[in-house]
Amino acid sequence: MSDREVLAKRLNEAGLLEDRLIPVRDGEKASVVNHHDPDNRYSNFAGISGNYGVYAGANPAGDRWLIDVDVDDYAEDADSDGLEAVNSLPETLTIESPHTDGTNGGHRYYVIVRENVDQHLNDAIGVYNPVPSWGEVRVRNQYVVGPGSELDSCDKDWHDCSEEGEGTYTIANDAPIAEIELDDLVDLLRQSGYDGSDSGGQSGQNATNGNLSTDIDSDGYEEALEVARNDSKIVTYLTEGADLDFDGDRSDADFYVACRMVENYVPERQARELLENGLGEGNTPNTKVRERGDSYWRRTWENARQKVAQDDNSGHSGKTGEPTGSDSDTPIVVENGRTYYVEDGEKTEVLNFELDVESILRVDNREVIEANLRRSGGSTHSVQFEPRHLQKKQRFKDNVLDGKFGLTFTPPSLKSEVVLNELNEYIGTLDVPVRQGTHHIGLHDGEWVTPDGSLGSDGWVDEPGYTYINRNVALERALSLPTETAEYDSDDVERIVTALPQTRDTARMLAVLGWFYAAPLRPYIFEDWGAGAFNHLNITGDTGSGKTTTLRYLWRCFGVEEDPFDVADTKFAMLSALAASNGLPVWYDEYKPSEIQDYRLDQFHDLYRKAATGGTATRGRADQTTEEYHTHAPVIVSGEEQIRRPAERRRSIMVSFREEVTAKGTETRATFKKLVGEGRVQDGELVLPDHAPDPTNHALAYYRWITGRDATELRAKWQDARELVWQKRREWNGEYDLDDMEIQGLQTVAFGWMLMRAFAQEHGVELADLPDETDLDDALRHVAGEIGPDGQRKSHMDRFVELFERAAAADYVERGQHYDVVHEGSMGEEELRVHLSRTYDALSKYARDHGLDSQELLSNPDDYRKRFKEATESGETYVANYSQQTPGLGRCAGIYTVATMTELDFDRQTFGLDPIGGGSKIADSDGSQKATADGGEVEGSKAKVEQYLRTDCKKGNVVTVADVAGSLDGLSPDEAESALDRIQKQSSLLQVVHNGWKVLQ
């Protein structure tokens, strides 16, 4: 068994495994989640790869407590009374850390069976997490790194974790976790100097509730830590939260900490790092600074500076103690285009260039250094790198020097990591701007951010608030905006905006244009205005309908000059593209499901859905660390076939192009040719166009225009668009039955139409020359008519179930109050039982709070009860029953969870249910789980069953495992079930119903 498996076994034996494991950064000790929240802790290793922590404290029932006795006394002849008392405790599971031997020192796990152990301990000795002279005792809100984890580096001068096998946590003694009494622990601590007073114990101990480790991994904010050590309110806030001293107000607590830092001349960077990273291992704080953006921190820090400056007693000038760099004690010297390392008065060149740091970028709770590498009298290279690249020589070469000609790193022998650490310290002393970094091309707080800089309303911004952090992905290289100037030809803009609606069928082209003009505002729509999703664009049409040429030109009008991406790209290629934008359209062409491998098509659909709602995936790096990718791109998909799956369709604005408008002799064809600069035949003669307008002028003009718009003004237009769509739907007299996501698609088109007209007016276009409201009505009707698989709209019952799932994700409904689960984990039998009356009230509140259409819900729960009854009696839906007695809830409607997932936009895991399916489970790189089939005959079985369904079954037939296994020789029931399941998931041939699989074709 591996060390992880042994640990899980021992914790489980002691009744301590549930909600115990914490994901930790690979190579480090820091938690990657708020581990105070039990929802972020794991009960097994299925969702954790790499380093992890073991959380001390109570089990969910509160009656069994894991106590970590962390002995840091490494001397074999240690003879303190306290350490002798530790060694007198029973033999137990013991972990050897990189800095202990597992015999004299290490993490020793014990269990105390009793409630409120932390409070009893505090009452007895005045602390919750004592810090005696020989180490630490972790009782609550702290964790230790678990066995099987590994550190890349450490700050010990007598040990080097970066060397092979030196940074590993291992099990030193595989023994059951011993049970001890609370009195045993109290006696042990009293022998170690804790006497029950509030002082926290013997001389030299932390007098602030005992929560601050004496061996802190501070990583460059020592001054902030020194202030924190001497302020009990700061330590309590960072370890226990804001409840005790600040009445739960984290803003007040953050402000208090900032004031204390200003008073003590602590640099701003260190103060922020303290609030973000806490006091060291096991002390990740629950501060507001960790959750809020750069603007919140800047406001807090500036308010603290003003407060301290106004305090007559402080005598503080309001300066933040910025380091100068040149007066520091760093052994790094930069001069004359070279970088030197000084030791014992001897100066050695380590870099044959000057490391000129321009700024520090903050992104996703990490820092990125933006610098120029300047050679004396030679070239300059701009680079971006992270502090972790300064931990090892090869990382530095791979990520900073990165194969650039003529750049060298030549540290003294056996000193490479010492020099790199000093370079890191040197960078920390520099007084450089701290900016917000982003991996997303698009709109950020009034700036249009690109890899080449940020555009504002007046042009390229000299001192931007945001800087794009490169990932070297294709979309970064596809941008075509000029960087030497932000000036544009307004006449070109006028010609383009006027001509575009006339190049294709006006209604259909207007739907496309509306989406394009709205897409750059996705951050507002998705987050600031509470939509929580953004509709993609799906354009279809036969060969020759002009979809590809139109999109190629439109893409250029919004700043991209490149071939479209491929639907059959690798998953990482798709992920990196969709995670590189939050407003720049990303275009995929040649959507032909019949010609794409099933697994690649599944990957595309999965990422397509996630991009609409803002998904996150974690990928591993070559150096064993991980990186998060947030998919926020607005997506265009074009091809001869429409997207057919319901979950993807309802997230899409569907437009079909007509071939007739591109035929020879049509006005639309002539207008398009003139716009793009192609000749046309008129009255039998070749007519060459005047100078064709440059689409780049349109891109510059539009991005500068939107950055100059007031967010309140834009939001008013978004609301106006919703009212306009509501008015249109009333005029249509219920002709189109749409759900809220589909209605938002119409709102997006209307919003883009409003933006296009306002933008065009500022560039001299008369409104009479632009599509009017009648044209918009035609466009909206076209989109509404294209929504829904084969013209089938979702029923009110379907929309109720989908809304129920969304409300569950937002914590509006709770298990045991609104619903329960029966036959949990059973494929095909698992039911979600829903109390309709209680749930109806909760969904009504959810709809009101989120501004959903009033038609989203029927007038009362009885209306839904009737529909569930009809569905139950039909026997061909995902509904299991309509009035089933359910313990604790009474009579409920029931739905089959797996069948519901195949028919609706619904995810059973939203309700906290574990994945189910045949075969073993493997964790995908984005953290999701997929079932893997066993044996090598799966594809053959699948093909055999698929042939049977197409030849021997009719559309509408319901088949079972017994039907298929009995009709095909040599096919076992297990193989038949596996094949049916794969066919249903990977094609549109089957649909799961409660009594089998329904044939759809």
Side-chain angles (χ1 to χ4, degrees), residues 260-405:
R260 300 294 80 74
M261 296 298 125
V262 172
E263 288 174 357
N264 289 276
Y265 298 88
V266 173
E268 178 185 355
R269 177 184 64 80
Q270 291 198 31
R272 183 168 181 173
E273 287 191 7
L274 175 74
L275 283 164
E276 287 183 342
N277 301 324
L279 303 173
E281 177 182 332
N283 288 115
T284 305
N286 184 25
T287 64
K288 209 166 188 177
V289 170
R290 284 176 57 86
E291 299 175 4
R292 300 293 294 274
D294 199 50
S295 59
Y296 169 80
W297 166 249
R298 289 175 181 171
R299 186 168 62 252
T300 300
W301 183 253
E302 186 57 34
N303 288 343
R305 291 182 61 184
Q306 293 176 11
K307 171 69 170 63
V308 172
Q310 292 166 3
D311 189 343
D312 293 336
N313 294 327
S314 70
H316 194 281
S317 66
K319 294 182 180 180
T320 58
E322 301 95 336
T324 63
S326 59
D327 296 329
S328 68
D329 295 329
T330 175
I332 298 298
V333 176
V334 178
E335 60 185 17
N336 301 323
R338 296 283 193 274
T339 302
Y340 300 90
Y341 173 70
V342 180
E343 185 177 32
D344 298 330
E346 183 177 344
K347 187 166 67 174
T348 303
E349 178 184 310
V350 290
L351 301 174
N352 68 339
F353 56 86
E354 177 181 333
L355 184 63
D356 177 19
V357 178
E358 289 196 335
S359 62
I360 304 295
L361 309 178
R362 294 186 183 275
V363 60
D364 294 338
N365 293 320
R366 59 191 177 89
E367 290 187 342
V368 175
I369 299 155
E370 190 174 36
N372 291 314
L373 314 183
R374 304 182 188 278
R375 294 196 64 189
S376 177
S379 58
T380 298
H381 300 279
S382 296
V383 296
Q384 293 174 338
F385 59 94
E386 299 178 37
R388 65 188 180 86
H389 298 145
L390 298 173
Q391 292 176 349
K392 294 186 178 181
K393 182 177 181 179
Q394 196 58 48
R395 285 189 193 177
F396 182 77
K397 287 186 173 182
D398 291 342
N399 295 280
V400 182
L401 305 188
D402 192 23
K404 297 176 178 66
F405 286 113

Side-chain angles (χ1 to χ4, degrees), residues 441 448 478-481 496-497 500 512-521 551-561 583-585 636 695-700 702-703 706 752 756 759:
I441 301 167
W448 185 261
L479 293 182
S480 59
L481 296 177
I496 290 170
V497 178
L500 274 174
V512 173
L513 289 172
W515 184 88
F516 263 95
Y517 280 100
L521 279 299
L551 286 172
R552 191 180 294 276
Y553 186 78
L554 280 173
W555 219 15
R556 291 182 63 196
C557 287
F558 286 82
V560 184
E561 187 165 8
L584 183 72
I636 313 156
T696 301
N697 285 313
H698 178 278
L700 282 171
Y702 189 63
Y703 293 143
I706 62 173
M756 180 183 72
F759 171 65

Side-chain angles (χ1 to χ4, degrees), residues 435-728:
R435 298 193 177 102
Q436 189 66 38
T438 179
H439 290 299
H440 295 104
I441 301 167
L443 196 60
H444 299 272
D445 290 347
E447 297 177 8
W448 185 261
V449 180
T450 79
D452 298 314
S454 295
L455 273 173
S457 58
D458 297 325
W460 293 105
V461 181
D462 292 331
E463 295 292 335
Y466 283 79
T467 298
Y468 183 81
I469 298 175
N470 288 285
R471 275 178 167 153
N472 195 30
V473 300
L475 191 65
E476 298 166 359
R477 300 185 292 272
L479 293 182
S480 59
L481 296 177
T483 55
E484 65 278 1
T485 180
E487 299 305 314
Y488 56 85
D489 187 330
S490 190
D491 290 340
D492 277 6
V493 177
E494 178 184 357
R495 291 171 63 191
I496 290 170
V497 178
T498 305
L500 274 174
Q502 304 172 35
T503 59
R504 299 289 182 255
D505 176 277
T506 301
R508 303 179 190 212
M509 188 63 177
L510 182 54
V512 173
L513 289 172
W515 184 88
F516 263 95
Y517 280 100
L521 279 299
R522 182 193 185 282
Y524 284 144
I525 296 170
F526 175 81
E527 187 170 359
D528 294 359
W529 302 341
F534 185 82
N535 301 73
H536 298 317
L537 178 64
N538 180 207
I539 298 180
T540 55
D542 294 334
T543 301
S545 61
K547 57 186 180 300
T548 301
T549 52
T550 301
L551 286 172
R552 191 180 294 276
Y553 186 78
L554 280 173
W555 219 15
R556 291 182 63 196
C557 287
F558 286 82
V560 184
E561 187 165 8
E562 185 58 84
D563 290 332
F565 295 106
D566 191 341
V567 176
D569 273 347
T570 65
K571 184 173 184 178
F572 181 72
M574 286 189 283
L575 176 63
S576 60
L578 298 180
S581 164
N582 72 351
L584 183 72
V586 176
W587 173 27
Y588 286 89
D589 197 16
E590 298 297 332
Y591 178 79
K592 296 179 180 179
S594 58
E595 299 180 9
I596 302 171
Q597 292 174 295
D598 288 344
Y599 80 95
R600 289 211 183 275
L601 192 62
D602 286 343
Q603 288 176 358
F604 177 77
H605 286 150
D606 180 56
L607 289 172
Y608 184 85
R609 291 193 306 273
K610 287 179 178 177
T613 55
T616 299
T618 302
R619 310 294 293 195
R621 297 187 179 107
D623 61 7
Q624 304 303 308
T625 59
T626 60
E627 185 169 15
E628 286 189 346
Y629 288 76
H630 303 279
T631 53
H632 293 306
V635 181
I636 313 156
V637 176
S638 59
E640 295 181 21
E641 298 181 50
Q642 282 191 339
I643 291 176
R644 296 165 62 186
R645 297 186 182 185
E648 286 78 37
R649 288 181 72 91
R650 69 183 298 272
R651 288 173 166 86
S652 305
I653 294 169
M654 318 289 292
V655 179
S656 62
F657 272 18
R658 298 165 51 212
E659 191 175 352
E660 306 91 273
V661 298
T662 61
K664 292 181 179 180
T666 58
E667 188 62 31
T668 48
R669 177 186 173 97
T671 303
F672 185 77
K673 282 196 169 188
K674 183 176 181 180
L675 181 64
V676 301
E678 297 180 16
R680 67 190 189 282
V681 176
Q682 182 173 314
D683 298 330
E685 295 185 6
L686 178 65
V687 178
L688 296 176
D690 298 331
H691 167 67
D694 183 354
T696 301
N697 285 313
H698 178 278
L700 282 171
Y702 189 63
Y703 293 143
R704 287 182 57 179
W705 184 76
I706 62 173
T707 58
R709 299 307 95 195
D710 180 71
T712 303
E713 168 198 340
L714 292 171
R715 184 168 192 171
K717 283 188 183 297
W718 176 249
Q719 294 300 330
D720 289 345
R722 188 166 186 87
E723 292 178 11
L724 180 58
V725 168
W726 174 240
Q727 174 188 331
K728 294 297 180 186

Side-chain angles (χ1 to χ4, degrees), residues 29 68 70 72 74 107 129-138 142-144 155-156 194 204-218 225-226 228-229 235 238-239 278-283:
K29 299 179 180 180
D68 172 69
D70 186 355
D72 290 337
Y74 315 115
H107 302 158
N129 296 297
V131 187
S133 62
W134 43 261
E136 294 116 325
V137 177
R138 306 183 194 279
Q142 296 188 1
Y143 66 90
V144 290
D155 59 359
K156 308 293 187 224
Y194 285 91
Q205 293 301 309
N206 172 23
T208 57
N209 214 18
N211 286 311
L212 177 59
S213 167
T214 57
D215 181 19
I216 293 173
D217 292 290
S218 54
L225 283 168
E226 187 63 31
R229 288 190 184 102
V235 174
L238 296 180
T239 57
L279 303 173
E281 177 182 332
N283 288 115

